[in-house]
Each structure stands twice: as C-alpha cells, then as structure tokens.
Amino acid sequence: MNMNELKEMCLKDTKIDGVDLDGYSISIPEIANKYHQLRHDEKNLLRFLQSQFKVLKLQKWKYYSGKADPSEYEAKPFDLKVLKNDMDLFLDSDEDLLLAKNKIDEQEEKIKLIEDTTRLIQNASFNINNAIKWKKFMSGDLT
C-alpha cells in the first residue's frame, strides 16, 4: 500500500457520520483492530527494509574500501583510494544507499500515520459523546 492509498483510507475511516453516531461507535473496535494489524504488517516491512539497508551498506563499504570482489570493479570501475576518514562521505552520497534510506524513511512515515490514525479512532468515542451532548444541548435538553 502506498502513502496516498493509506492517507485516503485513514481519512475515510476517521470520518464520523453525524447522523449515524451509534453505528460508527459500534464499528470503532473493528476499525482499531484493522489499524493494529496494518501497523504490525508495516513494522515487519520496516524491519526487512532496515536489514536490506545494512547488507547494502556493508557491500558498499567493501566496494569503496577496495575489498569487494574483483568482478564488481569490472562491472563498475572505481579507481579512487578512499581514506578511512572519507568513507562516510562516500557512503552518505551513494545513490543506492540513499534510495534504500528513502524507502526506510517513507515506511517510518507510514507507520507514524497508522499510529496517529489509531489514536484518533480510539478517541472517537470521546468525540461521539461530545457530539451527542451538543445535540442534546441544541434541542433544549440541559441534563
């Protein structure tokens, strides 16, 4: 699921129908469970992406330090001698590592959105209660 699809789903699931307050209230546990499951799945994907990043970073470190397999240098020549102090500069600017890091960052943003949406859904009962009290007040019921 991409970020835009997730945003649309979150918007749809957090919208409270002012006419069907009881129906939404009853569906809160089911919707909350949906987001708990989604968070679990997305966390697993994040762990996988982080593992891939670590493996890729080791491969790139070997490549830039001159310790990689000679066949890698035949496919993609690298004639520089990288000093130990400069290794971070090369790793931080490597396109493959940047792409992998961006995937991790996007996954973390998705998880944050899921967690925030879960909190909104869990607090929906409070908002529904306030809406009911407001409707009573507007109809003249002051109890």
Side-chain angles (χ1 to χ4, degrees), residues 54-71:
K54 288 177 183 177
V55 169
L56 181 61
K57 189 171 182 179
L58 176 62
Q59 291 171 347
K60 294 296 182 171
W61 179 86
K62 286 180 180 179
Y63 177 79
Y64 290 124
S65 64
K67 297 177 181 177
D69 190 70
S71 62

Side-chain angles (χ1 to χ4, degrees), residues 1 3 42 106-114:
M1 173 180 303
M3 189 63 135
E42 297 296 331
E106 183 178 349
Q107 190 64 23
E108 288 173 343
E109 286 297 316
K110 284 170 65 177
I111 291 169
K112 182 176 180 343
L113 177 60
I114 291 168

Side-chain angles (χ1 to χ4, degrees), residues 1-7 38-39 42-43 45-47 49-50 53 97-115:
M1 173 180 303
N2 69 33
M3 189 63 135
N4 289 331
E5 293 170 341
L6 180 60
K7 286 179 184 178
L38 187 59
R39 180 183 178 274
E42 297 296 331
K43 278 278 206 181
L45 180 56
L46 176 61
R47 281 190 284 278
L49 291 172
Q50 288 170 332
F53 179 80
L97 285 173
L98 287 171
L99 184 62
K101 182 66 174 137
N102 287 341
K103 286 181 182 179
I104 289 172
D105 291 344
E106 183 178 349
Q107 190 64 23
E108 288 173 343
E109 286 297 316
K110 284 170 65 177
I111 291 169
K112 182 176 180 343
L113 177 60
I114 291 168
E115 289 171 344

